Amino acid sequence: MSMKIQTKDLTLTAVSAAMICVAGPLSVPVGPVPISLATFAVYLAGAVLGPKRGTAAAALYLLIGIAGVPVFSGFSGGFQKLAGVTGGYLAGYLPCALLSGLGAEMKTESRAGRWLLPAMMAAGTLVLYAVGTAWFMLQTGNAFGAALSLCVLPFLPGDAAKIAAASLLAGPIRKALRMQRVQ
């Protein structure tokens, strides 16, 4: 039985990494940082798989992209993308998935607990923004205010919508996966 659970965990992690790989290139260039569906997939991976497997899925996505597969925004790939001006946002997927997963594991059915998952996704987004914006500032020499207006403020409404959608979808997906019997 342990082997079956381990196989299921590996499969779900790989499928979640693939989901991020499919969502990542789908982006709209709006400045130095594109709008991408990858954050939605990262929220969902963390919330559905939990902190360890969700973070592993995000890490696998990054490794696939670093290897040169065009899974980053605009169908790009390679280490140079991670080392470039938006690389900090890519690295920020790791703590974002971790915090989203922690939020899913701590979620309770109480009225206040229902807000825990989106709050933890928002906390993950805050860390993602912090890492990405700091890296962007180092790479470009932009001041904090300029970096904030270019790299954070335009993304707040979209990320709020992605958090809402991922929060609503995560519970039913987790429930469906638990109900599936491993044979």
Side-chain angles (χ1 to χ4, degrees), residues 10-91:
L10 290 172
T11 302
L12 290 173
T13 302
V15 167
S16 292
M19 180 179 66
I20 302 169
C21 287
V22 168
L26 304 175
S27 60
V28 177
V30 293
V33 180
I35 295 174
S36 168
L37 286 177
T39 47
F40 171 74
V42 168
Y43 297 139
L44 209 50
V48 170
L49 300 180
K52 290 179 187 175
R53 291 180 293 154
T55 304
L60 183 56
Y61 162 74
L62 292 176
L63 290 173
I64 291 167
I66 290 168
V69 179
V71 296
F72 296 147
S73 65
F75 295 93
S76 60
F79 182 76
Q80 73 279 3
K81 187 74 172 184
L82 192 65
V85 296
T86 60
Y89 296 101
L90 291 169

Side-chain angles (χ1 to χ4, degrees), residues 161-181:
K162 292 178 218 175
I163 287 169
S167 295
L168 291 172
L169 292 172
I173 293 171
R174 282 176 69 106
K175 184 177 180 182
L177 290 173
R178 276 194 304 268
M179 292 174 68
Q180 296 297 320
R181 297 192 188 276

Side-chain angles (χ1 to χ4, degrees), residues 4 8 26 44 58 61 65 69 71-72 98 103 127-129 132-133 166:
K4 289 180 183 177
K8 182 178 179 182
L26 304 175
L44 209 50
Y61 162 74
V69 179
V71 296
F72 296 147
L98 176 72
V127 174
L128 181 148
Y129 286 161
T133 303

Side-chain angles (χ1 to χ4, degrees), residues 85 88-89 128-140 144 147:
V85 296
Y89 296 101
L128 181 148
Y129 286 161
V131 171
T133 303
W135 184 254
F136 180 83
M137 289 168 56
L138 280 171
Q139 293 288 317
T140 64
F144 179 70

